[in-house]
Amino acid sequence: MTSGDLERPLAGEVGGKTTTALTKAFGMVTVSDLLRHYPRRYAQRGELTDLSTLVEGESVTVLAEIEQVTVRPMKQRRGSIVEAIVTDGKGRLSVTFFNQAWRERELRAGRSGLFSGQVSSFRNKRQLAHPQCLLFPEGVDDDPEATAAFAGVLIPIYPATGSLSSWKIAGAVRMVLDTLGEVADPIPDDLRAAEGLIELTQALRLIHRPADLEDVTAARTRLKFEEAFVLQVVLAQRRQQMMHLSATPRSVIGGPMRTAFDKQLPFVLTAGQDSVSAEIAKDLAGTHPMHRLLQGDVGSGKTIVALRAMLSVVDAGGQAALLAPTEVLAAQHYRSIRALLGPLAERGRLGGADEGTRVALLTGSQRTAQRRVELLDVITGDAGIVVGTHALIQDTVEFRDLALVVVDEQHRFGVEQRAALAAKARDGTRPHVLVMTATPIPRTVAMTVFGDLDISTLSELPAGRTPIATHVISTREQPGHLARAWERVQEEAAQKRRIFVVCPRIGGAGEEDDLDIESGETSISSVLDVAANLARDFPDLRVEMLHGRMSGDEKEDVMARFADISRHDGIDVLVATTVIEVGVDVPDATTMIILDADRFGISQLHQLRGRVGRGSSPGLCLLVTETEGGSPARERLLAVASTTDGFELSKLDLQMRREGDVLGSMQSGRRSSLRLLEVVRDEGIIERARTAAHEVVENDPELILHPALRLAIRALIADEQADFMEKA
Ligand code: ADP
Ligand code: MG
């Protein structure tokens, strides 16, 4: 009996034992789960795998020829080791079996087969220790499994595990495909024709059992487009649902507070800041909630843009909330907003301006009494601007009239959290939402991860910035340079400028980096050690620490003292972990020394470096590393040193990482649905899929005419939710 239902359970198709193995190895439950487990590559019959491409530690399946076989007794125990040396004609790999003397009979020189296991090295030789193997059939009484596995010219090689080989998976796939009926296609016929794509049923057959590489290409092209398309339909539906929500228009052009603020700004807005402000103003005047992403390079002036938007909704009688990912950032936004507003932030207090408002701060570590005061200001509406951490504002705060939510540093803030905020506005309306990213992201990534948002980009930095000079210091090749760097720190401090020293870890007892000790890397700089050493070596410098093990109060206190050098307890040098990575804004900070810089990613380094050179004095960033010249890690550092263009660096960063990491680090979900699509590279596909998705959703919002697409979307959303629940 054939069936085209992909959601039926696997157990009825491939048997209970195989299903259990597939579930255990990959979490597969349905036929779809198995058929969507695509081959990683294809071995060509008669063509051996290039052994020089094997990477130690990876699970591989190679097609190779046996060159020589030896059997020897084990040294420590009873039993024997069978060792086969296999070759691709050039390189060699040792394949060893323990206590399987019978293997000697079948492993004969000249035979070839598939060998599957984890690459390791033993006495400088690369080997697969007790792998699974399947030899190419050569006689009448050969294994039927082998005969089937080698039947095609192209042999699919699946992502496999130690206990579940590629050919076992292939066997299960074959069983399913043999009885697979016509599968309903989520891509509408006309779209499929316009894109020149093959049907789903055919694509599933061809990707698992291709006759030639053209079959593979046709199948992959189609399946890739489907991934992009289904995801874009979900996003288009979300956008459309938001269009049905209503929001209160907040349009006060030339309101008193915003006007007063612009008048007191010490600089001229960039053209980009002006035009993005206009886009936001237009959204705020609408009767549907704004959902806009504001992105721009580090230091491009996103905060001012967001603040002006907040002021205009306050002028219109509403409140604005600013959500930061950490307490340090919330506290800092609070300080800098109050500083920027001056008397405009002190309404009702001595010296406050009548046209102004108040700014409330809400953090988890606040004392109850203080919090009560702030909450009262929020409920009564006396505080027009409320700053806090995501969690806090989401859970407990009641607003008088929440008009605008600004979410800073979005990466950690998903759709679910945004939805949770919706309940905060009045009378069934929704607040407008503006999301700011920490680092710029390439367009297609934005379209995939934030595809349900409109996007505004600040593409220039304010004029008059002296670019940050970045240098890589190798402690191997230039040992003297680090000493020179510490002298530089003293010189800068003597001129009342501030210095960051960044370390990859906090240090001290109980830290979970025993792993590093195991791998011999005991010397990774820690905040505790470096701060102690600096204080000892340079008694004139005022050195403090900032890291995640300090309480919110402690961190705030340190940041305030670092920001204001004129205080008697001011700080010259801040030794910190990446808690300072996002958003920290101290204009007089000119120098940053990043120790063991190779421990950080490209975007992270760029973001860190953005903390200096924000004022008029030139910034200097030193990337200190022990890595070898020419190593990939060193190359990454040189890339960061070579440009200050965040868009360029983020593209490079994403290209160097694996796809799952790209999306995984951005937002929960989404990752599980993308198997073939690469968001950084498949720009054209994503754009076309997006256009098509919008058209479909516009004409058929509930997808009544597209039942197969509706099912695919239901499955995708279920996956995302499962993924989200797992993480939560
Ligand atoms: P980011 O986009 O990284 O959040 P910020 O908004 O923190 O950047 O701005 C960085 C610095 O540049 C701040 O000190 C801010 O006051 C200043 N700034 C913003 N806009 C301008 C401008 N148009 N001209 C000069 N300085 C500006
Ligand atoms: Mg910022």
Side-chain angles (χ1 to χ4, degrees):
M1 226 193 51
T2 62
S3 165
D5 176 13
L6 291 181
E7 296 308 318
R8 76 208 133 110
L10 257 183
E13 303 297 313
V14 300
K17 234 177 99 185
T18 308
T19 303
T20 308
L22 289 167
T23 308
K24 196 166 157 231
F26 301 105
M28 294 180 188
V29 180
T30 64
V31 165
S32 165
D33 294 337
L34 177 61
L35 292 183
R36 301 288 188 174
H37 188 75
Y38 306 132
R40 176 181 290 154
R41 58 188 184 85
Y42 302 84
Q44 192 104 253
R45 201 168 63 200
E47 215 170 83
L48 304 175
T49 310
D50 182 353
L51 295 178
S52 68
T53 59
L54 302 188
V55 177
E56 214 177 300
E58 278 188 359
S59 290
V60 300
T61 302
V62 300
L63 181 57
E65 186 178 304
I66 301 168
E67 195 173 68
Q68 174 198 335
V69 182
T70 52
V71 186
R72 59 175 190 272
M74 278 200 241
K75 290 208 181 87
Q76 315 284 348
R77 283 178 284 157
R78 285 161 60 94
S80 63
I81 298 175
V82 177
E83 178 179 20
I85 303 294
V86 303
T87 177
D88 60 358
K90 300 183 297 274
R92 283 178 180 68
L93 182 70
S94 153
V95 177
T96 51
F97 301 90
F98 305 106
N99 282 328
Q100 295 187 5
W102 55 270
R103 288 271 186 199
E104 195 193 355
R105 259 177 293 135
E106 59 167 42
L107 295 169
R108 281 191 313 276
R111 283 194 85 173
S112 58
L114 292 168
F115 301 88
S116 167
Q118 205 181 34
V119 184
S120 55
S121 89
F122 182 67
R123 299 211 176 110
N124 275 334
K125 273 195 306 191
R126 279 204 289 188
Q127 70 161 11
L128 298 179
H130 47 87
Q132 307 191 53
C133 82
L134 186 72
L135 294 174
F136 194 75
E138 47 177 21
V140 275
D141 47 338
D142 263 308
D143 189 356
E145 186 174 32
T147 311
F150 289 101
V153 176
L154 293 177
I155 302 153
I157 305 294
Y158 291 92
T161 66
S163 54
L164 192 61
S165 66
S166 174
W167 50 91
K168 281 268 184 309
I169 297 169
V173 169
R174 259 196 313 275
M175 285 175 79
V176 169
L177 286 182
D178 282 345
T179 59
L180 185 70
E182 194 67 23
V183 181
D185 196 330
I187 304 183
D189 293 344
D190 49 346
L191 175 59
R192 198 176 57 236
E195 286 285 327
L197 300 171
I198 61 175
E199 285 185 35
L200 176 56
T201 317
Q202 197 194 357
L204 290 174
R205 289 187 186 285
L206 293 187
I207 199 152
H208 293 291
R209 302 164 87 168
D212 50 35
L213 290 173
E214 273 157 37
D215 282 353
V216 175
T217 307
R220 292 178 67 104
T221 306
R222 133 95 228 184
L223 294 168
K224 214 184 230 200
F225 188 86
E226 180 187 318
E227 285 176 10
F229 176 67
V230 170
L231 179 56
Q232 291 298 335
V233 169
V234 172
L235 295 169
Q237 277 189 314
R238 276 192 192 142
R239 280 171 67 99
Q240 183 144 88
Q241 281 154 11
M242 294 190 295
M243 294 285 286
H244 289 300
L245 303 173
S246 49
T248 311
R250 313 278 177 172
S251 68
V252 172
I253 305 285
M257 192 157 50
R258 162 98 171 245
T259 307
F261 175 75
D262 282 353
K263 221 178 274 167
Q264 76 190 37
L265 257 187
F267 46 71
V268 190
L269 295 178
T270 65
Q273 285 172 319
D274 257 335
S275 64
V276 169
S277 290
E279 283 171 349
I280 294 172
K282 190 156 166 258
D283 285 356
L284 291 175
T287 52
H288 302 295
M290 165 172 81
H291 286 97
R292 188 170 282 280
L293 176 76
L294 169 56
Q295 69 158 341
D297 208 342
V298 176
S300 58
K302 298 183 284 285
T303 312
I304 300 291
V305 171
L307 182 56
R308 292 176 82 230
M310 293 195 265
L311 294 179
S312 58
V313 305
V314 178
D315 273 338
Q319 288 170 291
L322 173 58
L323 276 56
T326 65
E327 300 216 335
V328 169
L329 278 179
Q332 181 195 282
H333 273 307
Y334 174 73
R335 261 196 316 278
S336 64
I337 285 177
R338 288 186 51 183
L340 281 163
L341 291 179
L344 289 173
E346 309 292 337
R347 185 191 168 114
R349 299 195 183 114
L350 198 65
D354 281 346
E355 68 273 32
T357 186
R358 273 194 232 161
V359 184
L361 173 69
L362 291 165
T363 68
S365 58
Q366 233 160 17
R367 273 179 206 67
T368 322
Q370 176 63 26
R371 230 177 107 186
R372 220 173 268 145
V373 173
E374 305 276 328
L375 280 172
L376 195 64
D377 266 1
V378 180
I379 292 174
T380 58
D382 285 347
I385 295 176
V386 184
V387 183
T389 49
H390 294 163
L392 206 84
I393 293 197
Q394 241 168 276
D395 295 345
T396 54
V397 182
E398 258 180 72
F399 292 83
R400 194 182 66 83
D401 182 12
L402 181 59
L404 168 66
V405 177
V406 178
V407 183
D408 190 18
E409 328 296 9
Q410 154 81 17
H411 290 181
R412 282 151 267 189
F413 195 76
V415 173
E416 293 82 2
Q417 288 103 310
R418 262 187 263 149
L421 271 171
K424 302 277 177 191
R426 289 193 315 182
D427 309 332
T429 64
R430 306 289 176 114
H432 299 281
V433 176
L434 181 68
V435 171
M436 296 193 284
T437 58
T439 45
I441 40 183
R443 221 177 98 73
T444 53
V445 178
M447 282 191 321
T448 308
V449 182
F450 304 112
D452 49 349
L453 304 178
D454 295 312
I455 298 175
S456 294
T457 303
L458 289 177
S459 46
E460 62 191 327
L461 296 183
R465 290 273 165 84
T466 10
I468 305 162
T470 307
H471 302 287
V472 178
I473 294 187
S474 159
T475 46
R476 290 168 179 254
E477 294 140 39
Q478 308 148 320
H481 287 211
L482 189 56
R484 173 72 195 99
W486 296 125
E487 277 172 32
R488 171 75 181 251
V489 166
Q490 285 184 293
E491 290 160 19
E492 292 292 311
Q495 300 196 47
K496 294 200 181 336
R497 299 192 186 128
R498 249 53 54 68
I499 301 98
F500 289 107
V501 178
V502 182
C503 305
R505 61 187 193 111
I506 301 174
E511 190 170 68
E512 286 179 34
D513 50 11
D514 299 342
L515 276 181
D516 289 329
I517 292 168
E518 219 167 85
S519 58
E521 297 175 286
T522 46
S523 57
I524 298 172
S525 313
S526 75
V527 170
L528 296 180
D529 291 346
V530 171
N533 291 346
L534 283 177
R536 183 193 63 211
D537 296 346
F538 306 105
D540 294 344
L541 290 181
R542 293 170 294 177
V543 179
E544 283 286 355
M545 299 186 278
L546 190 74
H547 58 71
R549 260 187 254 146
M550 293 161 57
S551 75
D553 275 351
E554 285 172 319
K555 283 188 275 195
E556 248 178 67
D557 174 60
V558 166
M559 277 317 295
R561 286 160 55 203
F562 187 64
D564 185 1
I565 195 72
S566 61
R567 290 168 60 145
H568 72 281
D569 58 354
I571 296 170
D572 301 307
V573 180
L574 193 59
V575 184
T577 56
T578 51
V579 286
I580 57 149
E581 179 186 340
V582 278
V584 167
D585 188 18
V586 178
D588 298 332
T590 52
T591 307
M592 174 172 287
I593 299 182
I594 306 180
L595 298 172
D596 292 305
D598 47 282
R599 294 265 145 179
F600 302 102
I602 291 180
S603 292
Q604 216 175 4
L605 290 169
H606 180 60
Q607 184 68 34
L608 280 168
R609 162 174 74 177
R611 306 301 115 219
V612 296
R614 295 169 80 83
S616 49
S617 317
L620 174 70
C621 176
L622 301 177
L623 307 175
V624 181
T625 178
E626 284 182 20
T627 52
E628 274 172 59
S631 64
R634 176 74 73 85
E635 294 302 313
R636 271 192 306 134
L637 297 182
L638 289 172
V640 175
S642 72
T643 178
T644 49
D645 181 338
F647 283 93
E648 201 177 300
L649 285 173
S650 87
K651 212 166 187 168
L652 198 68
D653 192 12
L654 294 174
Q655 272 163 4
M656 286 174 144
R657 286 198 271 166
R658 286 215 233 120
E659 200 67 12
D661 303 338
V662 173
L663 299 178
S665 65
M666 298 263 176
Q667 207 171 32
S668 65
R670 200 100 349 148
R671 175 195 350 208
S672 49
S673 66
L674 301 185
R675 296 189 163 88
L676 298 171
L677 189 73
E678 297 178 74
V679 285
V680 183
R681 290 178 186 88
D682 294 326
E683 187 163 341
I685 297 174
I686 293 172
E687 302 236 15
R688 293 203 309 279
R690 182 172 163 92
T691 309
H694 277 239
E695 224 163 88
V696 167
V697 171
E698 197 156 298
N699 295 324
D700 181 14
E702 307 292 332
L703 303 177
I704 291 166
L705 304 172
H706 299 86
L709 180 55
R710 207 166 60 229
L711 281 179
I713 278 161
R714 202 177 296 161
L716 174 69
I717 291 172
D719 274 0
E720 274 199 9
Q721 270 160 359
D723 212 45
F724 178 68
M725 299 296 277
E726 231 164 75
K727 291 218 185 84

